[in-house]
Short mmCIF file of all heavy atoms in Angstrom, two decimals:
data_model
loop_
_atom_site.label_atom_id
_atom_site.label_comp_id
_atom_site.label_asym_id
_atom_site.label_seq_id
_atom_site.Cartn_x
_atom_site.Cartn_y
_atom_site.Cartn_z
N GLU A 69 22.53 10.01 2.54
CA GLU A 69 23.78 9.59 1.89
C GLU A 69 24.71 8.88 2.87
O GLU A 69 25.36 7.89 2.51
CB GLU A 69 24.48 10.80 1.27
CG GLU A 69 25.68 10.44 0.41
CD GLU A 69 26.25 11.64 -0.31
OE1 GLU A 69 25.74 12.76 -0.10
OE2 GLU A 69 27.21 11.46 -1.09
N ASP A 70 24.75 9.35 4.10
CA ASP A 70 25.58 8.68 5.11
C ASP A 70 25.05 7.29 5.42
O ASP A 70 25.83 6.35 5.64
CB ASP A 70 25.61 9.52 6.40
CG ASP A 70 26.28 10.87 6.18
OD1 ASP A 70 27.12 10.96 5.27
OD2 ASP A 70 25.95 11.82 6.92
N ILE A 71 23.74 7.13 5.41
CA ILE A 71 23.15 5.81 5.64
C ILE A 71 23.51 4.87 4.51
O ILE A 71 23.85 3.70 4.74
CB ILE A 71 21.62 5.94 5.80
CG1 ILE A 71 21.28 6.75 7.05
CG2 ILE A 71 20.97 4.57 5.86
CD1 ILE A 71 19.81 7.02 7.21
N LEU A 72 23.46 5.35 3.28
CA LEU A 72 23.81 4.50 2.14
C LEU A 72 25.27 4.07 2.20
O LEU A 72 25.60 2.90 1.92
CB LEU A 72 23.53 5.25 0.84
CG LEU A 72 22.06 5.44 0.45
CD1 LEU A 72 21.94 6.32 -0.79
CD2 LEU A 72 21.40 4.09 0.19
N LYS A 73 26.14 4.98 2.56
CA LYS A 73 27.55 4.63 2.65
C LYS A 73 27.79 3.62 3.77
O LYS A 73 28.65 2.73 3.64
CB LYS A 73 28.39 5.88 2.87
CG LYS A 73 28.42 6.81 1.67
CD LYS A 73 29.25 8.06 1.96
CE LYS A 73 29.29 8.98 0.75
NZ LYS A 73 30.08 10.22 1.01
N ARG A 74 27.07 3.75 4.87
CA ARG A 74 27.24 2.83 5.98
C ARG A 74 26.70 1.44 5.66
O ARG A 74 27.31 0.43 6.01
CB ARG A 74 26.54 3.39 7.22
CG ARG A 74 26.72 2.52 8.46
CD ARG A 74 26.03 3.09 9.66
NE ARG A 74 24.59 3.01 9.56
CZ ARG A 74 23.77 4.05 9.52
NH1 ARG A 74 24.26 5.28 9.57
NH2 ARG A 74 22.46 3.89 9.43
N GLU A 75 25.57 1.39 4.97
CA GLU A 75 24.93 0.10 4.72
C GLU A 75 25.42 -0.57 3.44
O GLU A 75 25.52 -1.81 3.39
CB GLU A 75 23.40 0.30 4.64
CG GLU A 75 22.77 0.86 5.90
CD GLU A 75 22.81 -0.12 7.06
OE1 GLU A 75 22.91 -1.34 6.80
OE2 GLU A 75 22.74 0.33 8.22
N TYR A 76 25.71 0.23 2.39
CA TYR A 76 26.04 -0.36 1.08
C TYR A 76 27.29 0.27 0.49
O TYR A 76 27.45 0.31 -0.75
CB TYR A 76 24.86 -0.14 0.11
CG TYR A 76 23.53 -0.52 0.67
CD1 TYR A 76 22.63 0.45 1.11
CD2 TYR A 76 23.14 -1.85 0.76
CE1 TYR A 76 21.39 0.10 1.63
CE2 TYR A 76 21.90 -2.21 1.27
CZ TYR A 76 21.04 -1.23 1.71
OH TYR A 76 19.81 -1.58 2.23
N GLY A 77 28.21 0.72 1.33
CA GLY A 77 29.39 1.43 0.85
C GLY A 77 30.23 0.63 -0.11
O GLY A 77 30.79 1.17 -1.08
N ALA A 78 30.35 -0.68 0.09
CA ALA A 78 31.20 -1.51 -0.76
C ALA A 78 30.62 -1.68 -2.16
O ALA A 78 31.36 -2.07 -3.09
CB ALA A 78 31.40 -2.88 -0.11
N TYR A 79 29.34 -1.41 -2.34
CA TYR A 79 28.70 -1.65 -3.63
C TYR A 79 28.26 -0.37 -4.33
O TYR A 79 27.77 -0.43 -5.46
CB TYR A 79 27.47 -2.56 -3.45
CG TYR A 79 27.79 -3.85 -2.72
CD1 TYR A 79 27.43 -4.02 -1.38
CD2 TYR A 79 28.45 -4.89 -3.36
CE1 TYR A 79 27.71 -5.20 -0.71
CE2 TYR A 79 28.74 -6.08 -2.69
CZ TYR A 79 28.38 -6.22 -1.37
OH TYR A 79 28.67 -7.39 -0.70
N LEU A 80 28.41 0.77 -3.69
CA LEU A 80 27.98 2.03 -4.30
C LEU A 80 28.91 2.43 -5.43
O LEU A 80 30.13 2.39 -5.29
CB LEU A 80 27.94 3.14 -3.25
CG LEU A 80 26.70 3.25 -2.37
CD1 LEU A 80 26.91 4.31 -1.30
CD2 LEU A 80 25.47 3.57 -3.21
N VAL A 81 28.34 2.84 -6.55
CA VAL A 81 29.10 3.34 -7.70
C VAL A 81 28.39 4.59 -8.22
O VAL A 81 27.20 4.81 -7.96
CB VAL A 81 29.20 2.28 -8.83
CG1 VAL A 81 30.00 1.07 -8.36
CG2 VAL A 81 27.81 1.87 -9.30
N PRO A 82 29.10 5.45 -8.94
CA PRO A 82 28.45 6.65 -9.50
C PRO A 82 27.32 6.28 -10.45
O PRO A 82 27.40 5.31 -11.21
CB PRO A 82 29.58 7.37 -10.22
CG PRO A 82 30.83 6.86 -9.56
CD PRO A 82 30.55 5.44 -9.18
N THR A 83 26.27 7.06 -10.43
CA THR A 83 25.10 6.82 -11.28
C THR A 83 25.34 7.39 -12.66
O THR A 83 25.77 8.53 -12.82
CB THR A 83 23.85 7.46 -10.65
OG1 THR A 83 23.65 6.91 -9.34
CG2 THR A 83 22.62 7.17 -11.49
N VAL A 84 25.07 6.57 -13.68
CA VAL A 84 25.25 7.00 -15.06
C VAL A 84 23.96 7.57 -15.63
O VAL A 84 23.95 8.62 -16.26
CB VAL A 84 25.75 5.81 -15.92
CG1 VAL A 84 25.90 6.24 -17.38
CG2 VAL A 84 27.07 5.29 -15.37
N ASN A 85 22.84 6.87 -15.41
CA ASN A 85 21.56 7.31 -15.94
C ASN A 85 20.97 8.38 -15.02
O ASN A 85 20.78 8.13 -13.82
CB ASN A 85 20.61 6.12 -16.04
CG ASN A 85 19.36 6.43 -16.84
OD1 ASN A 85 18.94 7.58 -16.95
ND2 ASN A 85 18.76 5.40 -17.42
N PRO A 86 20.66 9.57 -15.53
CA PRO A 86 20.12 10.63 -14.65
C PRO A 86 18.74 10.31 -14.10
O PRO A 86 18.28 10.98 -13.16
CB PRO A 86 20.09 11.86 -15.57
CG PRO A 86 20.04 11.30 -16.95
CD PRO A 86 20.82 10.03 -16.92
N GLN A 87 18.05 9.32 -14.66
CA GLN A 87 16.73 8.95 -14.15
C GLN A 87 16.82 8.34 -12.76
O GLN A 87 15.89 8.46 -11.96
CB GLN A 87 16.06 7.97 -15.11
CG GLN A 87 14.69 7.49 -14.63
CD GLN A 87 14.08 6.44 -15.54
OE1 GLN A 87 14.62 6.16 -16.62
NE2 GLN A 87 12.98 5.85 -15.13
N TYR A 88 17.96 7.70 -12.47
CA TYR A 88 18.12 6.99 -11.20
C TYR A 88 19.08 7.76 -10.30
O TYR A 88 20.05 8.36 -10.77
CB TYR A 88 18.65 5.58 -11.45
CG TYR A 88 17.73 4.77 -12.34
CD1 TYR A 88 17.98 4.67 -13.72
CD2 TYR A 88 16.62 4.12 -11.83
CE1 TYR A 88 17.13 3.94 -14.55
CE2 TYR A 88 15.78 3.39 -12.65
CZ TYR A 88 16.03 3.30 -14.01
OH TYR A 88 15.19 2.59 -14.82
N GLN A 89 18.81 7.72 -9.00
CA GLN A 89 19.62 8.46 -8.04
C GLN A 89 20.65 7.59 -7.33
O GLN A 89 21.64 8.10 -6.82
CB GLN A 89 18.71 9.11 -6.98
CG GLN A 89 17.82 10.21 -7.50
CD GLN A 89 16.59 9.69 -8.22
OE1 GLN A 89 16.13 8.58 -7.94
NE2 GLN A 89 16.06 10.47 -9.14
N ILE A 90 20.43 6.29 -7.28
CA ILE A 90 21.32 5.37 -6.56
C ILE A 90 21.65 4.20 -7.48
O ILE A 90 20.77 3.68 -8.18
CB ILE A 90 20.65 4.84 -5.27
CG1 ILE A 90 20.20 6.01 -4.39
CG2 ILE A 90 21.59 3.93 -4.50
CD1 ILE A 90 19.34 5.57 -3.22
N THR A 91 22.91 3.79 -7.46
CA THR A 91 23.33 2.63 -8.25
C THR A 91 24.26 1.77 -7.40
O THR A 91 25.25 2.27 -6.84
CB THR A 91 24.06 3.04 -9.54
OG1 THR A 91 23.19 3.84 -10.35
CG2 THR A 91 24.48 1.81 -10.34
N LEU A 92 23.93 0.49 -7.29
CA LEU A 92 24.78 -0.51 -6.64
C LEU A 92 25.28 -1.49 -7.69
O LEU A 92 24.53 -1.87 -8.59
CB LEU A 92 24.01 -1.26 -5.55
CG LEU A 92 23.32 -0.43 -4.46
CD1 LEU A 92 22.64 -1.35 -3.46
CD2 LEU A 92 24.31 0.47 -3.76
N GLN A 93 26.52 -1.88 -7.54
CA GLN A 93 27.11 -2.83 -8.50
C GLN A 93 27.67 -4.03 -7.75
O GLN A 93 28.38 -3.88 -6.76
CB GLN A 93 28.22 -2.16 -9.31
CG GLN A 93 28.74 -3.01 -10.46
CD GLN A 93 29.76 -2.27 -11.30
OE1 GLN A 93 30.95 -2.22 -10.96
NE2 GLN A 93 29.31 -1.66 -12.41
N PHE A 94 27.33 -5.23 -8.24
CA PHE A 94 27.74 -6.48 -7.59
C PHE A 94 28.55 -7.31 -8.58
O PHE A 94 28.12 -7.53 -9.72
CB PHE A 94 26.52 -7.29 -7.14
CG PHE A 94 25.58 -6.52 -6.25
CD1 PHE A 94 24.49 -5.83 -6.79
CD2 PHE A 94 25.79 -6.47 -4.89
CE1 PHE A 94 23.63 -5.12 -5.98
CE2 PHE A 94 24.93 -5.75 -4.06
CZ PHE A 94 23.85 -5.09 -4.61
N ASN A 95 29.71 -7.75 -8.13
CA ASN A 95 30.51 -8.69 -8.90
C ASN A 95 30.07 -10.09 -8.53
O ASN A 95 30.29 -10.55 -7.42
CB ASN A 95 32.00 -8.49 -8.61
CG ASN A 95 32.88 -9.26 -9.56
OD1 ASN A 95 32.46 -10.27 -10.16
ND2 ASN A 95 34.13 -8.82 -9.74
#
Side-chain angles (χ1 to χ4, degrees):
E69 188 173 2
D70 296 334
I71 296 175
L72 288 174
K73 292 179 180 179
R74 183 180 70 243
E75 300 291 337
Y76 311 103
Y79 306 104
L80 277 174
V81 295
T83 302
V84 178
N85 192 335
Q87 178 184 353
Y88 301 97
Q89 292 79 26
I90 305 171
T91 300
L92 305 181
Q93 189 176 83
F94 305 93
N95 190 336

